[in-house]
Structure formats: C-alpha cells, structure tokens
Amino acid sequence: MQLQLNRRSGVPLYRQLAGELREQIVSGTLAEGYRLPPERELAARLEVNRTTVLQAYQQLKDEALIASKVGKGTFVLPRNDSTDGPAAPRPRQAVPSALAAEPTVIRPPWSVLFSDYSNRFTYHDIAAANRAQNGKAIIDFATGSPNPADIPDDLLRAVSLEAFSSHEFDGQPESPIEGFPELRELLAEHMRARGVHCNARNVMVLSGSEQGIDLCVRAFINPGDCVLVEQSTFFPALQSFRSADARIVGVPMDEYGMRTDLLEGYCARFHPKFIYTIPTFQNPTGSTMPAARRKELIDVARKYQCLIIEDDAYGELWYGRPDAGRGGNAKRPVPLKGMENAGYVMYLSTFSKTVTSGLRTGWIVADPHVINRLAALRRMVDQHTSTSSQRICLELLKEGRIAEHVKTLTIAYRKRRDTAVAALEQYARDGMSWNVPEGGYYIWVTLPEGVRSLDVLDRCRTKGVTFMPGSVFDVDETDDSHIRLNIVHPDAGDIERGIRMICESVG
C-alpha cells in the first residue's frame, strides 16, 4: 500500500490520507476484506500524528468504506452494488403494509454531508447552556446578560432620535467594512482613556466581540495549531477553537487568574499560535490578573512569538474590592493592550455588557496588518456592522454619555455584589468557597468535596433558581465542583433568597 502526503498543500493531512485510501479502495487496489494498518503503525510510517490517521479512518467509516472490529483491526468493506461509488450508511426502516407500494424514502447521509468544521462543533455545550437558561426560572443567576431593568431605555431613545435626525450620514447609506471612520476615531479615543495607545486605523467595528474571536481564528489558526486558554473560560470561544480543529490546552488558574508562572513551560512544550485570555473580571471565575502577571504574560508571548487575544467584555465594569490592599487592584486594571505596543495583543470588547445585550456592536484594537486581514476575511460573510447600531454607539460615546451610564451601573452592581457575598457568608455550607470580584458579572463558587454541580442545579430548578455549572466552561468539560453565579442579572431583592436556596440545595 503506497501512500503519499503533500505537506506543503493547504489540504489537511487527514483529508489527503482519506482521499488516498478512498481512491485505492474504490479502484480495487485495496480489495474487500483488506486489513488496514493500525493507527499507530500507519502514523509512524507516515510520520504524522496518530490523530491524523484516526480522523482519516473515521471519515472512511462514515462513507461506509471501512469498518473496525474490536480486537481484529480495520478492514475494507464489500462494495454495495446498488451504487457506482461508496455507499453512505442508510438504515432501513420497516414500511407499514398500507404504504408498501410506495417507494422507500432515502434520507440524506448527514454524517457525510456535514463539513468537518461543523462536525467538530460540540453542540452539547450550547445545549447545556440553553437548558440552564430556559424554563420558568424565578431567580436567574445563569444568563450572561444584564438585568432588563438596568438597560438605559431613556438614554437609548434619546440617542436614537439624535442619531437618525442628524444629516451627518446623508448620502452614506452603508458603512465601510471596518466601521464608520467617526466611530473608529471615538473608539480609539475611548481606548486611549483606558491607557491603550492607538488610533482609528487600529480599530475595526464588529457585530459583537464574538465575531472578533471567529475572525481571529479564521485568520491565524490551522488545524492542529495549539491555543492556550485559562482552564475555565468563555465557552463560545472554546467552540470557535474546536471548530477550527485547534489543539486547546488549559493553563491552571488560581484566584488571580491564569498561572503565568507556569506559562513559559506550556509555551516551550506546546508552541501555541496564540493565548486567549480574559484578564479582567474573567468569565466565568470573576478573577482579575494583577499587573505583575500581565507583564509576565506579555513577556512570555514575546519570547515565544505567540499572539494574545485579550477579551475584555467586562473591563468597563470596575467597582472595586473591599480588601484591595491584600492582593486586589486599588484601581481599574490597565488592559494588556495598554502594556504592549509591538502588536502581539489583539484586544476585543463590546457594548452588549454595559448598555444592552441587544446592541450587538463590539470592536477590536490590533495592528493595522491584522485589521486589514480581518476585513478581507469578513467580506466573505458580513459586509459591515449594522449602520443603525453604529450611529447609536456614536451618540453614546459623544459627550461622555456612556461613561455616566457605566458609573451609575457600577454603583448598583457593587451593591449586588456585596449582597451576594453577605448571603454566601450567611448561608454557605461547610466546604463552600467563592471569589469576591472587583467588577463584571460573576461570582465563582467552589462546592464541597463530593457535591456535583449538576445535581445541585437539578434541585435548584425545582425551586425556581438557576445558574451555570462549571463543566460548561471547562476545557476538558469535567469540572463538576464549581458553579457560576451572574449576580447582576437577578433583581436586587431576589439575590439573598436565591443564594439561600442554592446553599440549601448543596445539602
């Protein structure tokens, strides 16, 4: 059996291998019943990763060309004479006698037709998230959005009227793909106030910050590339990395975020293409990376020439920490992007966490080379961010309107945090512990040893309370000892009662 792989080709190696084997099977070069080499043996012969062979074999199994028998190996299947080519598996269904005369419906072979990209998507993560958020929950600690009562409806109405009564955009019905120049300039000014040195050409307006993650993955990740992340992180980001067939490696965390003292060892071993991090008010843990760790992260990235994606959806929502003198930050943290000017950091943020989740407008700050490449990729799927949303954001950024709103918001959020922490201190069972966040939405609770988060969630739902289990955010999907509480979504008066019921459900 002769096999040749072109390592310079843009076609993934596993697809090349599957194609070579498919051609030999269909042509009869590999006869029916031929025993294929074991995965490890073939991987060693071809000098590829064993995963490459496993994926190739799986694709041929989906096409009903080969099959494996436990303890015996993998064999070429007999040809199905009803077709001219490889037959997809088509399970037969019993046909009622009244319909026997009608032709059998042959359904599409979905497992073969779906792309490799979509087949790598782990749908159960999304399903788990939806299950946690759906239903008739009385007190919802699960949803990753603000309380509807906190949405500044009067402000949005006022800025909308101003935005659409203005003649500033007459004759310019569409936006450039990078966003309106006026908005890019205001966003650059906004970032400079945060300590990030940039100008408009470093900024691209997005349809939400998740679009920025997707574009960065498309621009930089090849199948098999390594991405380092915090061990528990934003699960839609994990979905993007998985779908791109990236190798995701979780770096351990503590109460101050990613363990940067371990980071150089991870970079030396795995040579990541980039590091994805949420250093400020992290989702789901609420942790904030101290300045010394931020510097260490940047130094390691420079040394190993890997990029950093800084996701800063919650960075505006700083409301302090009572014990800031004992390790917390005395002032709002400076973004990683503000500590590095060579271009290694790509910064993402959004208006959806500070204004309303319905305002799907975000932005990326990056080197102009990155902005140009992302814009080129974006043209294939999304011509530009909604002009209506951009006009509203323009008005929000003018005259400090959004800053005033955020100031009011953080006062309310600080009170809810303090209420939640006081409730945990009063009702927590032995063995429970939690963080005290300096900002953002989330408190991360560690359950007593032996208590499973999904069991607690099931008991809480019967009482009308919901939250997110830690496994949704875990790189390995095995974390069953943590729960994430969004302490800004419930009504302030429900927080204590909800936490009391959660603690009672812990047992």
Side-chain angles (χ1 to χ4, degrees):
M1 182 176 66
Q2 297 295 321
L3 297 169
Q4 291 185 341
L5 303 180
N6 182 0
R7 298 177 190 277
R8 295 184 178 181
S9 170
V11 178
L13 291 176
Y14 82 93
R15 292 182 64 181
Q16 293 186 47
L17 177 57
E20 290 266 325
L21 292 171
R22 183 189 299 109
E23 182 176 337
Q24 295 188 32
I25 292 170
V26 173
S27 67
T29 303
L30 298 182
E32 298 174 7
Y34 178 86
R35 184 176 183 274
L36 294 170
E39 293 94 343
R40 291 186 187 277
E41 178 185 321
L42 185 56
R45 185 193 309 177
L46 297 174
E47 297 182 340
V48 297
N49 192 291
R50 184 189 174 206
T51 303
T52 300
V53 180
L54 286 169
Q55 289 178 308
Y57 278 12
Q58 185 59 53
Q59 184 167 332
L60 297 177
K61 289 175 184 177
D62 289 342
E63 297 172 14
L65 291 176
I66 64 174
S68 295
K69 297 179 181 178
V70 177
K72 295 184 178 180
T74 302
F75 300 87
V76 175
L77 289 174
R79 183 170 66 91
N80 186 334
D81 290 327
S82 64
T83 65
D84 294 327
R90 291 192 289 239
R92 295 187 175 276
Q93 299 178 346
V95 180
S97 57
L99 302 176
E102 296 184 8
T104 302
V105 176
I106 300 175
R107 305 200 179 278
W110 298 116
S111 62
V112 177
L113 295 176
F114 280 126
S115 69
D116 297 337
Y117 179 90
S118 67
N119 282 330
R120 287 190 292 266
F121 195 84
T122 50
Y123 294 93
H124 64 278
D125 279 0
I126 299 294
N130 287 339
R131 282 196 301 274
Q133 296 180 53
N134 289 339
K136 298 179 180 179
I138 299 172
I139 305 175
D140 181 6
F141 291 102
T143 305
S145 59
N147 188 303
D150 295 324
I151 295 171
D153 294 324
D154 291 340
L155 175 60
L156 288 172
R157 273 190 287 269
V159 298
S160 297
L161 287 171
E162 292 176 27
F164 295 106
S165 63
S166 169
H167 295 288
E168 187 176 355
F169 294 94
D170 288 356
Q172 191 182 9
E174 292 188 358
S175 162
I177 197 163
E178 297 87 353
F180 285 129
E182 300 92 332
L183 180 55
R184 295 173 72 192
E185 186 55 59
L186 281 173
L187 285 168
E189 182 181 326
H190 179 73
M191 294 308 302
R192 289 193 293 270
R194 292 281 311 277
V196 176
H197 303 289
C198 65
N199 55 46
R201 72 192 189 107
N202 297 110
V203 178
M204 183 164 77
V205 184
L206 303 168
S207 300
S209 58
E210 287 181 42
Q211 183 183 54
I213 297 172
D214 180 70
L215 288 172
C216 288
V217 167
R218 293 172 186 268
F220 293 103
I221 295 299
N222 294 314
D225 281 347
C226 177
V227 177
L228 296 184
V229 303
E230 286 120 348
Q231 181 63 38
S232 295
T233 192
F234 183 48
F235 69 87
L238 293 176
Q239 297 285 32
S240 290
F241 305 148
R242 288 171 184 150
S243 295
D245 202 18
R247 183 182 184 187
I248 308 170
V249 177
V251 179
M253 304 176 68
D254 62 16
E255 62 181 309
Y256 300 119
M258 182 183 286
R259 291 274 308 277
T260 53
D261 58 315
L262 304 175
L263 189 59
E264 181 161 3
Y266 276 77
C267 286
R269 179 173 291 273
F270 296 108
H271 302 286
K273 180 65 73 72
F274 59 60
I275 301 167
Y276 172 80
T277 180
I278 310 172
T280 308
F281 319 141
Q282 203 251 6
N283 180 10
T285 68
S287 63
T288 297
M289 190 182 290
R293 287 197 185 187
R294 292 173 187 242
K295 182 180 183 302
E296 189 170 13
L297 192 160
I298 291 168
D299 289 344
V300 172
R302 283 174 174 161
K303 179 176 180 179
Y304 289 90
Q305 294 198 319
C306 64
L307 300 173
I308 298 170
I309 295 181
E310 178 182 14
D311 195 341
D312 193 36
Y314 306 93
E316 301 286 338
L317 299 173
W318 178 75
Y319 42 82
R321 181 171 180 169
D323 58 346
R326 293 191 283 116
N329 289 287
K331 59 182 180 179
R332 186 169 66 179
V334 175
L336 294 172
K337 187 63 180 172
M339 302 172 69
E340 190 277 330
N341 286 319
Y344 283 94
V345 179
M346 299 176 289
Y347 174 95
L348 292 167
S349 194
T350 178
F351 289 105
S352 65
K353 303 301 181 183
T354 52
V355 183
T356 170
S357 53
L359 189 60
R360 303 307 303 170
T361 306
W363 66 95
I364 183 169
V365 182
D367 186 278
H369 290 90
V370 175
I371 297 298
N372 293 339
R373 180 59 61 91
L374 299 188
L377 289 168
R378 185 178 183 180
R379 285 187 177 91
M380 295 186 291
V381 292
D382 179 17
Q383 288 300 309
H384 56 77
T385 302
S386 161
T387 57
S388 300
S389 296
Q390 289 192 68
R391 292 187 188 191
I392 290 170
C393 292
L394 264 167
E395 297 298 328
L396 284 170
L397 286 167
K398 289 178 180 177
E399 300 174 6
R401 286 165 153 169
I402 196 167
E404 284 300 312
H405 165 66
V406 169
K407 184 177 179 181
T408 301
L409 205 60
T410 52
I411 291 172
Y413 287 179
R414 184 185 300 115
K415 291 179 180 177
R416 291 182 205 175
R417 177 205 54 191
D418 293 345
T419 298
V421 170
L424 285 166
E425 290 173 345
Q426 181 175 356
Y427 300 114
R429 298 302 194 243
D430 290 343
M432 289 178 66
S433 60
W434 54 90
N435 68 314
V436 181
E438 300 173 23
Y441 282 14
Y442 306 115
I443 287 182
W444 186 241
V445 178
T446 303
L447 298 174
E449 185 175 353
V451 177
R452 299 177 65 249
S453 59
L454 291 175
D455 293 339
V456 178
L457 181 58
D458 286 341
R459 291 192 287 268
C460 283
R461 283 184 184 141
T462 64
K463 302 176 181 180
V465 181
T466 187
F467 56 79
M468 278 293 200
S471 57
V472 171
F473 310 96
D474 185 51
V475 172
D476 304 317
E477 305 175 59
T478 58
D479 182 356
D480 203 24
S481 61
H482 292 94
I483 64 175
R484 188 197 75 176
L485 304 180
N486 178 350
I487 46 90
V488 310
H489 184 79
D491 293 334
D494 289 334
I495 291 174
E496 180 183 355
R497 182 164 60 93
I499 288 179
R500 174 176 55 79
M501 288 191 283
I502 290 172
C503 292
E504 289 171 353
S505 299
V506 169

